[in-house]
Each structure stands twice: as C-alpha cells, then as structure tokens.
C-alpha cells in the first residue's frame, strides 16, 4: 500500500435488507378508544406514533420512579423564538409578518376631523375590560388624565361587543383542545377521566327573595396536574336592549324563572356537551352535596348507560362536619367560661384530626374497602383520644402520638384534654358516626374537591360587578377567565390581541409587560405554596380566632383601673 493513502474501512453487515419492513408495520392502536376497550372489527385506526412532549411530561409526573408512560420517546419540543404563543403569523426564517397592523391607522380619505382616526389603540383598550377591574368609564377617565381626547363610550362599547365574539370563539376551541390533551394523557397513564363541577351566582340564592340574575357552571378535570377547564355553561337574565325580543341575544334564562334551578339545568347542559363531542368518557364526577344535582347526574348516566362514580366535595363535607360539631348543645363543664368559643375550638380540632386521619389512610391503602373500614374505626376513636383514653389508638389511629415521651395536648382547646360528661360525649360520637356512615364515607373516599372551580368563580365575579357592561358581555367575561386560567393573564391577552389582527413584537412594551406579569404570577404562586408562607398564614388565622378571647383577658384591660366586688380603686403611679 502506498504511503499516505487512506485505508478502506471494511463494510459492516447491514442489519436490514433493502426490502425489509419497519418494526411497527401493520401494528395499529385506536387513538379514540379509552383504556381497557377493545378495537372494533372493520375499523382502521392510525399507526403508532410518538407522544407529544407536553403530554409525555404530564404523564411522566404520575408514573413511579422506575416507570415511563410510553415505550417511544416523545417528540422534540418546538420552541418558537419569535413568539411565546402558538399560531404566530411571523416567519422564523425571514421574519416576514403577514398580518401586521400599525398601532393606529392613518388618516382616511374624505375625513374632515383633524388628526388620525382611532384604530387598533381602541382594540387594545377593550382588552383590559376583560382582564382587569376597569370599565369603559374608567378607561375614558385615565385617557383624559393623560391629556388625550378619549373615544366615546358608545364606540368603546361596540369594540367590547366585537371582542366578545372573538373571546368566546377562541376559548371554545381551547376547551376542545383541553379535552384532547386530557384524553392523550389518559391513554398513557390509564387513570381514568375524573372531573369536578360547581355553579356560582352573582348573588347567593335566598329563600323568600332572589336577587341573582347570572350564573355560571364550569367543568374542570382531575386527571392531570394542570386542572384544565373542559366545558362551561352560562345562564343570564339581563339584556341591555330596550326593544329586544330575546331571540338572538345574551339573555338565555327567563325573568320569571328562579336562578336556583339553573344548577341542574347547566349541569345537564355541560354533560350533554361532553357527550356530544365524544372525546372523553367520564369515569367520576365530583360536586357538592345537592339532591337535585345528584338526581340530574343519575338520570344522565342512566341515559348514556356508562358506569360513572359520583363523589361529594371533600371540603364541603368537612365544613358540614365542623358546623354540626359547633351546633351540638353541650352541658359542660368547660375549661373556660365562654362556651361558644370552646365549641369553635373543639370543632376546629376535630376537623383537623379527621382530615389527618383520612389523608394518611388514603396514602397507605389504595383499596376502597380497606379505606372505609380503617377510616370508620379511626374517626370513631377521636373523642376517646381527646379524652386522654388511648387504649385503641395504637390499633386504629395513624395520627395519635400518645405512646411517645414528647406527647403534648397543645392541639386541643386550651391545651387540655376533654373532661365532658357521658351525655356530651355521646352527642359528639353520634355526630362522628353519622359522618362515617357507609353512604357518606364512600362519596368522599377519593378526597376530591371543587376548589379549582371555586377559584375561577371568584375571578369571574370579581370583574362582573359592572352591570352596565356585563349585562350583555357576561359570557365573554366567563370565557376570558377560563382562557386566562389556561395560558395566564399576559399570554392570554397577547393571544386575543393576535386574533384581532394586532401583532406585538418582543421589543414592544406591551409584550414585555405581559411576560413580566406572568412571571410575577408564577413567583407569587410558588411563594404561597412554600412552608414559611403557610406557617405565617396559620399564625395570622390563629390570632384572628383568639381575638375575642384576648379582648376579654386581663392583658387587654387598662393596668390603672381595677374593679372589685365592693369598691373601685384608681391607682396613681406617682404615689
């Protein structure tokens, strides 16, 4: 071989021939069928493909330490450097913007007024009405303070109405995408589809007189950690038009009908929407304890002929238990003279102990039958444990620490064990026995709640107090709150602005402020979930609960004034 000539590498044997077939040739799965269901004969399901990156990450969080949700690696995450939201009209290679519009439009031909006409600036002015507490009057006042001639109120109302249809259409598409996302995650985790629902009113319904005019019912999912909204239904009695015949307007509930009946109506409407789309097959539904709502759910499940569990909100059940313990008529003796304050502390202590017992039992025992037996024995043993009788605590309780040398009774009212008569003990035990009955305990066996729905209701009705605006656009406000819960307030605002044809670059102040607002919200959420913040909140709540007791104590009274049974003396510090 000549010097300097490169050696020829030996050819490695090929693993596949030219006509070899891929490993997954002919292997098919159904993408729409739920776990546990078999493929129908004659169907042509799609080929196996890699899961999406966000679906894989969400499924991975619910797997064990040595488990993966899929045999295939996920698709690579596509990062758009130009925009942080999908659907951008900007090309990443040549930076060509297809539908870019100026912040304000130029002067039109034939216009007699001086200066440019109002353009996209008014489109951006309408967005804060759906994302903050400001209204049209507030916007005109702020612009006037900047020495700028504001648009008329009627013009801004028209912009709000046009933006309303955009928000509703965009959010309905997002809700469908959320259902598809939950379905893909469930196909990897096989945990089932668990949802929660709750109804809120702008005024709480009361017997004898009803002032509520609007209500909203939201369906959220429990399957993933993101708790995405899946469906929403709205009832509205208001209409801003004086000569409207209510055929094609926002008023969808009759004035003479009661708003309390919308709870069952909206729940049935949400269930029918999910059934009509046929994307998710619900395995369980969590709601608060309502006889009418339970009847509606049973009728719907019997109609679709699908086995679905119905659970009661765990937080509502614990509130009911605390209320019943607080309303028990105890005879005494009590550690303090204030009977009402003592029963409040006792109800709080019992609720906290029941919560700890149920949570620890659920973590250790996955079977529902074992959970029911263990929970019933643990809850019925609480009154004996509080009375310093710990004979059955080792057998039934997972919380009691009486067997340790460092045991303390500081968790009890006034840090003292109960010294009640047998009649009072029997009353408290009967309340706990009623709580752990087979029917009630089976409805809270998964310890699910409707907190996410209630937080969205709080956001909606914080902004819905402006009846002059939201009588017509209340639907858009509800959809805007759901849209913000999925993407964040800043990102949602930019997405809606893009839907109206307004493109914001990264160098513009509106883009930077929206990103900063979402980052600040994420940091605040992380801070609120930290242990120091929770401990501070616990101390503040404890101080608030003891406020009445502290006001009647010696430390709250004046040091210089003492009143005895017979005489009153005034002490002079100079003497």
């Amino acid at each position: 071989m000549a010097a300097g000539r490169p050696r020829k590498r030996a050819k490695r044997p090929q693993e596949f021939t030219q006509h070899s077939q891929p490993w997954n040739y002919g292997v098919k799965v159904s993408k729409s069928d739920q776990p546990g269901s078999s493929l129908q004969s004659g169907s042509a399901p799609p080929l196996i493909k890699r899961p999406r990156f966000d679906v894989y990450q969400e499924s991975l969080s619910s797997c064990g330490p040595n488990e993966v949700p899929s045999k295939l690696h996920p698709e690579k995450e596509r990062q758009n450097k130009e925009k942080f939201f999908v659907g951008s009209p900007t090309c990443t290679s040549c930076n060509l913007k297809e539908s870019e519009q100026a912040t304000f439009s130029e002067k039109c031909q034939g216009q007699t007024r001086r200066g440019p006409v109002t353009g996209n600036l008014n489109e951006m002015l309408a967005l804060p009405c759906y994302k903050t507490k400001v209204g049209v009057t507030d916007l005109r006042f702020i612009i006037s303070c900047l020495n700028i001639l504001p648009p008329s109120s009627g013009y801004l109302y028209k912009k709000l109405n046009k933006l309303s249809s955009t928000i509703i259409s965009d959010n309905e598409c997002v809700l469908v995408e959320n259902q598809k996302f939950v379905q893909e995650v469930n196909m990897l985790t096989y945990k089932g589809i668990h949802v929660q629902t709750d109804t809120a009113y702008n005024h709480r319904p009361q017997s004898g007189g009803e002032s509520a005019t609007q209500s909203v019912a939201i369906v959220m999912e429990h399957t993933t950690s993101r708790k995405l909204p899946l469906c929403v239904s709205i009832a509205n009695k208001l209409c801003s038009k004086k000569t409207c015949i209510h055929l094609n307007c926002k008023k969808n509930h009759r004035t003479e009908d009661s708003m309390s009946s919308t709870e069952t109506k909206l729940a049935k409407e949400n269930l029918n929407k999910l059934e009509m789309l046929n994307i998710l097959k619900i395995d369980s539904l969590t709601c608060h304890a309502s006889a009418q709502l339970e009847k509606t759910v049973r009728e719907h499940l019997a109609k679709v002929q699908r086995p679905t569990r119905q659970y009661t909100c765990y937080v509502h059940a614990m509130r009911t238990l605390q209320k019943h313990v607080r309303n028990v008529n105890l005879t005494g003796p009590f550690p303090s003279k204030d009977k009402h304050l003592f029963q409040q502390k006792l109800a709080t202590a019992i609720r906290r102990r029941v919560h700890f017992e149920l949570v620890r039992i659920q973590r250790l025992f996955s079977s529902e039958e074992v959970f029911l037996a263990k929970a019933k024995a643990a809850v019925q043993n609480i009154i004996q444990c509080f009375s310093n009788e710990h004979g059955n605590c080792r057998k039934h309780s997972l919380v009691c620490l009486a067997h340790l040398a460092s045991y303390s009774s500081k968790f009890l009212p006034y840090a003292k064990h109960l010294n009640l008569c047998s009649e009072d003990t029997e009353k408290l035990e009967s309340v706990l026995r009623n709580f752990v009955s087979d029917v009630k305990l089976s409805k809270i066996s998964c310890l699910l709640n409707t907190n996410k729905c209630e937080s969205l209701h709080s956001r909606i009705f914080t902004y819905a107090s402006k009846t002059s605006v939201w009588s017509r656009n209340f639907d858009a406000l509800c959809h805007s709150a759901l849209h913000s819960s999925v993407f964040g307030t800043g990102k949602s605002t930019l997405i809606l602005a893009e839907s109206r044809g307004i493109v914001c670059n990264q160098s513009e102040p509106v883009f930077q402020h929206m990103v900063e607002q979402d980052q600040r919200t994420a940091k605040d959420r992380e801070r609120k979930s930290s242990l120091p913040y929770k401990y501070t909140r616990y101390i503040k709540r404890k101080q608030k609960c003891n406020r009445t007791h502290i006001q009647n104590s010696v430390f709250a009274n004046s040091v210089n004034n003492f009143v005895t049974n017979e005489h009153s003396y005034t002490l002079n510090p100079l003497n």
Side-chain angles (χ1 to χ4, degrees):
M1 183 180 291
R5 182 180 296 178
R7 293 183 178 181
K8 293 184 179 180
R9 296 182 179 179
K11 293 184 178 180
R12 297 180 180 179
Q14 295 182 358
E15 298 180 0
F16 300 98
T17 60
Q18 184 178 1
H19 301 285
S20 62
Q21 297 177 349
W23 67 273
N24 60 349
Y25 179 79
V27 180
K28 300 179 180 181
V29 295
S30 176
K31 190 174 181 181
S32 60
D33 290 348
Q34 294 295 315
S37 61
S38 59
L39 296 178
Q40 298 179 0
S41 59
S43 60
L47 292 172
I48 294 177
K49 64 178 184 178
R50 300 183 185 275
R52 290 183 348 198
F53 183 82
D54 54 348
V55 175
Y56 186 86
Q57 288 295 113
E58 183 63 38
S59 305
L60 189 64
S61 60
S62 60
C63 294
N66 297 324
E67 299 177 358
V68 291
S70 175
K71 294 182 179 179
L72 298 179
H73 292 289
E75 296 178 353
K76 292 184 178 180
E77 185 180 12
R78 299 179 181 179
Q79 297 181 355
N80 195 346
K81 298 182 180 180
E82 187 69 20
K83 297 287 180 181
F84 71 92
F85 53 87
V86 296
S88 172
T90 304
C91 180
T92 56
S93 58
C94 62
N95 295 328
L96 176 62
K97 301 175 182 179
E98 300 175 358
S99 59
E100 181 179 7
Q101 297 184 11
T103 306
F104 59 91
S105 56
E106 300 295 336
K107 184 176 180 179
C108 300
Q109 297 181 359
Q111 183 184 1
T112 57
R113 296 181 60 184
R114 297 179 179 180
V117 298
T118 55
N120 288 345
L121 178 62
N122 296 333
E123 295 281 354
M124 295 299 293
L125 283 177
L127 280 172
C129 291
Y130 289 104
K131 298 298 181 182
T132 62
K133 296 183 180 181
V134 299
V136 172
T137 306
D138 303 328
L139 288 176
R140 299 185 74 249
F141 181 80
I142 293 172
I143 296 175
S144 300
C145 291
L146 297 176
N147 200 15
I148 300 175
L149 180 63
S152 62
S153 300
Y155 184 80
L156 288 178
Y157 285 146
K158 291 181 181 179
K159 290 293 182 182
L160 282 176
N161 298 336
K162 292 181 181 180
L163 184 60
S164 172
S165 58
T166 303
I167 293 175
I168 294 175
S169 60
D170 288 2
N171 187 63
E172 287 178 351
C173 297
V174 171
L175 294 178
V176 176
E177 292 297 326
N178 291 344
Q179 296 182 25
K180 296 179 180 179
F181 174 80
V182 174
Q183 181 204 23
E184 294 178 6
V185 172
N186 184 47
M187 293 181 65
L188 297 179
T189 58
Y190 299 96
K191 285 191 173 182
I193 306 298
H194 308 284
V195 299
Q196 58 173 297
T197 181
D198 194 14
T199 306
Y201 309 86
N202 58 346
H203 295 282
R204 184 180 296 274
Q206 298 178 357
S207 59
E210 188 179 74
S211 58
T213 55
Q214 297 164 333
S215 64
V216 55
I218 304 174
V219 177
M220 311 285 293
E221 52 90 14
H222 282 301
T223 305
T224 67
S225 60
R226 297 171 60 179
K227 301 294 186 294
L228 298 173
L230 303 178
C231 192
V232 61
S233 296
I234 302 163
N236 191 1
K237 280 186 176 182
L238 301 179
C239 180
S240 58
K241 299 180 180 179
K242 296 182 180 180
T243 60
C244 183
I245 59 177
H246 309 306
L247 292 179
N248 189 17
C249 71
K250 299 301 181 181
K251 181 179 179 180
N252 56 4
H253 194 72
R254 296 189 302 178
T255 308
E256 59 272 11
D257 293 344
S258 174
M259 288 300 294
S260 59
S261 63
T262 59
E263 182 178 14
T264 57
K265 176 184 175 182
L266 298 182
K268 184 184 298 184
E269 185 176 345
N270 283 331
L271 294 175
N272 291 334
K273 286 181 181 179
L274 294 175
E275 190 67 25
M276 182 180 61
L277 292 175
N278 198 21
I279 299 176
L280 299 177
K281 308 296 182 183
I282 299 177
D283 294 324
S284 70
L285 175 66
T286 304
C287 58
H288 63 89
S290 174
Q292 297 180 356
L293 189 58
E294 291 180 359
K295 180 181 177 181
T296 302
V297 174
R298 285 197 306 267
E299 291 177 354
H300 176 78
L301 298 180
K303 179 181 178 181
V304 299
Q305 296 181 357
R306 186 185 308 116
T308 305
R309 288 289 303 271
Q310 182 180 359
Y311 295 105
T312 303
C313 177
Y314 171 67
V315 177
H316 284 77
M318 298 300 293
R319 291 174 184 170
T320 305
L321 173 64
Q322 185 178 7
K323 182 182 67 175
H324 289 169
V325 174
R326 191 170 59 244
N327 294 335
V328 172
N329 187 15
L330 301 179
T331 58
F334 307 110
S336 66
K337 296 182 179 180
D338 194 341
K339 174 185 174 181
H340 180 68
L341 183 60
F342 169 75
Q343 290 199 223
Q344 283 186 344
K345 292 179 176 293
L346 179 60
T348 304
I350 291 178
R351 175 181 175 177
R352 188 184 300 116
R353 177 64 177 271
V354 171
H355 170 70
F356 289 154
E357 293 282 3
L358 296 182
V359 168
R360 295 188 182 184
I361 292 174
Q362 190 199 35
R363 289 177 181 176
L364 294 177
F365 307 100
S366 58
S367 175
E368 184 177 358
E369 296 180 358
V370 178
F371 172 82
L372 296 178
K374 295 284 185 181
K376 184 178 297 185
V379 172
Q380 291 179 357
N381 185 58
I382 291 178
I383 301 300
Q384 295 182 2
C385 181
F386 283 5
S387 301
N388 202 14
E389 299 177 4
H390 306 286
N392 298 325
C393 289
R394 277 184 175 272
K395 181 180 179 181
H396 300 304
S397 178
L398 298 176
V399 181
C400 181
L401 302 176
H403 59 282
L404 300 179
S406 59
Y407 171 74
S408 175
S409 60
K410 61 182 180 180
F411 59 91
L412 292 172
Y414 306 104
K416 296 180 181 180
H417 287 95
L418 299 182
N419 187 20
L420 302 176
C421 61
S422 59
E423 183 180 356
D424 293 345
T425 303
E426 179 61 28
K427 291 179 182 179
L428 294 175
E429 290 180 350
S430 65
V431 173
L432 294 179
R433 281 196 301 268
N434 185 28
F435 174 76
V436 295
S437 61
D438 295 337
V439 177
K440 293 184 178 181
L441 197 58
S442 62
K443 290 185 177 182
I444 60 171
S445 57
C446 290
L447 306 185
L448 300 175
N449 55 59
T450 58
N451 290 345
K452 189 63 178 179
C453 288
E454 293 181 359
S455 65
L456 279 178
H457 293 159
S458 175
R459 171 182 288 190
I460 291 173
F461 289 106
T462 300
Y463 305 148
S465 57
K466 297 161 287 191
T467 55
S468 60
V469 177
W470 306 125
S471 59
R472 181 173 183 178
N473 298 325
F474 179 72
D475 295 11
L477 179 70
C478 298
H479 284 277
S480 176
L482 296 179
H483 200 266
S484 299
S485 67
V486 177
F487 298 102
T489 303
K491 188 175 179 180
S492 173
T493 304
L494 293 176
I495 292 175
L496 295 177
E498 183 191 9
S499 301
R500 299 296 299 173
I502 304 173
V503 182
C504 303
N505 297 327
Q506 291 184 355
S507 59
E508 295 180 353
V510 59
F511 189 97
Q512 297 176 358
H513 177 75
M514 295 305 170
V515 174
E516 180 184 355
Q517 181 175 359
D518 287 346
Q519 292 176 352
R520 190 186 308 113
T521 303
K523 290 181 180 179
D524 291 342
R525 187 184 301 111
E526 183 179 359
R527 178 179 61 88
K528 291 180 180 180
S529 62
S530 61
L531 290 179
Y533 179 83
K534 291 182 179 179
Y535 180 75
T536 304
R537 293 283 298 173
Y538 169 74
I539 295 299
K540 295 296 184 182
R541 287 197 302 268
K542 195 172 183 180
Q543 291 177 354
K544 183 178 180 180
C545 294
N546 296 335
R547 186 180 301 170
T548 305
H549 186 62
I550 293 175
Q551 289 177 355
N552 298 329
S553 63
V554 178
F555 300 99
N557 297 326
S558 177
V559 180
N560 298 331
N561 297 328
F562 293 92
V563 179
T564 61
N565 294 333
E566 299 180 358
H567 303 282
S568 176
Y569 299 98
T570 302
L571 301 180
N572 189 356
L574 299 177
N575 295 336

